mmCIF file of all heavy atoms in Angstrom:
data_model
loop_
_atom_site.group_PDB
_atom_site.id
_atom_site.type_symbol
_atom_site.label_atom_id
_atom_site.label_comp_id
_atom_site.label_asym_id
_atom_site.label_seq_id
_atom_site.Cartn_x
_atom_site.Cartn_y
_atom_site.Cartn_z
ATOM 1 N N GLY A 23 53.527 5.490 8.159
ATOM 2 C CA GLY A 23 53.175 6.358 7.052
ATOM 3 C C GLY A 23 53.482 7.847 7.423
ATOM 4 O O GLY A 23 53.843 8.138 8.539
ATOM 5 N N VAL A 24 53.257 8.718 6.437
ATOM 6 C CA VAL A 24 53.587 10.106 6.669
ATOM 7 C C VAL A 24 52.647 10.753 7.676
ATOM 8 O O VAL A 24 53.048 11.623 8.462
ATOM 9 C CB VAL A 24 53.591 10.874 5.338
ATOM 10 C CG1 VAL A 24 52.163 10.865 4.700
ATOM 11 C CG2 VAL A 24 54.077 12.296 5.506
ATOM 12 N N ASP A 25 51.380 10.392 7.713
ATOM 13 C CA ASP A 25 50.428 11.035 8.612
ATOM 14 C C ASP A 25 50.796 10.838 10.079
ATOM 15 O O ASP A 25 50.888 11.792 10.838
ATOM 16 C CB ASP A 25 49.016 10.514 8.322
ATOM 17 C CG ASP A 25 48.520 10.833 6.920
ATOM 18 O OD1 ASP A 25 48.899 11.935 6.415
ATOM 19 O OD2 ASP A 25 47.774 10.059 6.356
ATOM 20 N N SER A 26 50.928 9.602 10.484
ATOM 21 C CA SER A 26 51.254 9.330 11.892
ATOM 22 C C SER A 26 52.628 9.844 12.247
ATOM 23 O O SER A 26 52.884 10.197 13.394
ATOM 24 C CB SER A 26 51.111 7.836 12.196
ATOM 25 O OG SER A 26 51.981 7.081 11.369
ATOM 26 N N SER A 27 53.563 9.840 11.244
ATOM 27 C CA SER A 27 54.895 10.373 11.546
ATOM 28 C C SER A 27 54.833 11.850 11.830
ATOM 29 O O SER A 27 55.548 12.345 12.735
ATOM 30 C CB SER A 27 55.796 10.069 10.356
ATOM 31 O OG SER A 27 55.965 8.700 10.107
ATOM 32 N N VAL A 28 54.060 12.622 11.085
ATOM 33 C CA VAL A 28 53.904 14.036 11.330
ATOM 34 C C VAL A 28 53.224 14.283 12.665
ATOM 35 O O VAL A 28 53.584 15.228 13.401
ATOM 36 C CB VAL A 28 53.147 14.709 10.184
ATOM 37 C CG1 VAL A 28 52.740 16.150 10.548
ATOM 38 C CG2 VAL A 28 54.049 14.729 8.942
ATOM 39 N N VAL A 29 52.250 13.476 13.019
ATOM 40 C CA VAL A 29 51.629 13.590 14.339
ATOM 41 C C VAL A 29 52.675 13.451 15.425
ATOM 42 O O VAL A 29 52.693 14.224 16.383
ATOM 43 C CB VAL A 29 50.517 12.556 14.514
ATOM 44 C CG1 VAL A 29 50.030 12.521 15.997
ATOM 45 C CG2 VAL A 29 49.337 12.839 13.594
ATOM 46 N N ALA A 30 53.560 12.504 15.297
ATOM 47 C CA ALA A 30 54.634 12.279 16.308
ATOM 48 C C ALA A 30 55.524 13.528 16.395
ATOM 49 O O ALA A 30 55.931 13.985 17.453
ATOM 50 C CB ALA A 30 55.441 11.052 15.957
ATOM 51 N N ALA A 31 55.835 14.095 15.197
ATOM 52 C CA ALA A 31 56.686 15.293 15.167
ATOM 53 C C ALA A 31 55.991 16.481 15.852
ATOM 54 O O ALA A 31 56.632 17.209 16.614
ATOM 55 C CB ALA A 31 57.058 15.624 13.737
ATOM 56 N N LEU A 32 54.715 16.646 15.546
ATOM 57 C CA LEU A 32 53.977 17.754 16.163
ATOM 58 C C LEU A 32 53.845 17.533 17.670
ATOM 59 O O LEU A 32 53.931 18.488 18.453
ATOM 60 C CB LEU A 32 52.553 17.829 15.533
ATOM 61 C CG LEU A 32 52.532 18.255 14.047
ATOM 62 C CD1 LEU A 32 51.103 18.155 13.501
ATOM 63 C CD2 LEU A 32 53.082 19.650 13.888
ATOM 64 N N ALA A 33 53.697 16.293 18.078
ATOM 65 C CA ALA A 33 53.601 16.036 19.516
ATOM 66 C C ALA A 33 54.935 16.346 20.201
ATOM 67 O O ALA A 33 54.933 16.933 21.324
ATOM 68 C CB ALA A 33 53.210 14.580 19.730
ATOM 69 N N ALA A 34 56.030 16.007 19.569
ATOM 70 C CA ALA A 34 57.327 16.273 20.150
ATOM 71 C C ALA A 34 57.594 17.766 20.288
ATOM 72 O O ALA A 34 58.228 18.216 21.261
ATOM 73 C CB ALA A 34 58.405 15.623 19.282
ATOM 74 N N ARG A 35 57.068 18.547 19.368
ATOM 75 C CA ARG A 35 57.204 20.031 19.414
ATOM 76 C C ARG A 35 56.529 20.633 20.633
ATOM 77 O O ARG A 35 56.889 21.758 21.079
ATOM 78 C CB ARG A 35 56.631 20.678 18.156
ATOM 79 C CG ARG A 35 57.494 20.478 16.914
ATOM 80 C CD ARG A 35 56.847 21.222 15.731
ATOM 81 N NE ARG A 35 57.611 21.003 14.501
ATOM 82 C CZ ARG A 35 57.266 21.501 13.341
ATOM 83 N NH1 ARG A 35 56.146 22.215 13.194
ATOM 84 N NH2 ARG A 35 58.013 21.258 12.259
#
Side-chain angles (χ1 to χ4, degrees):
V24 64
D25 296 328
S26 59
S27 297
V28 168
V29 170
L32 294 174
R35 286 182 182 178

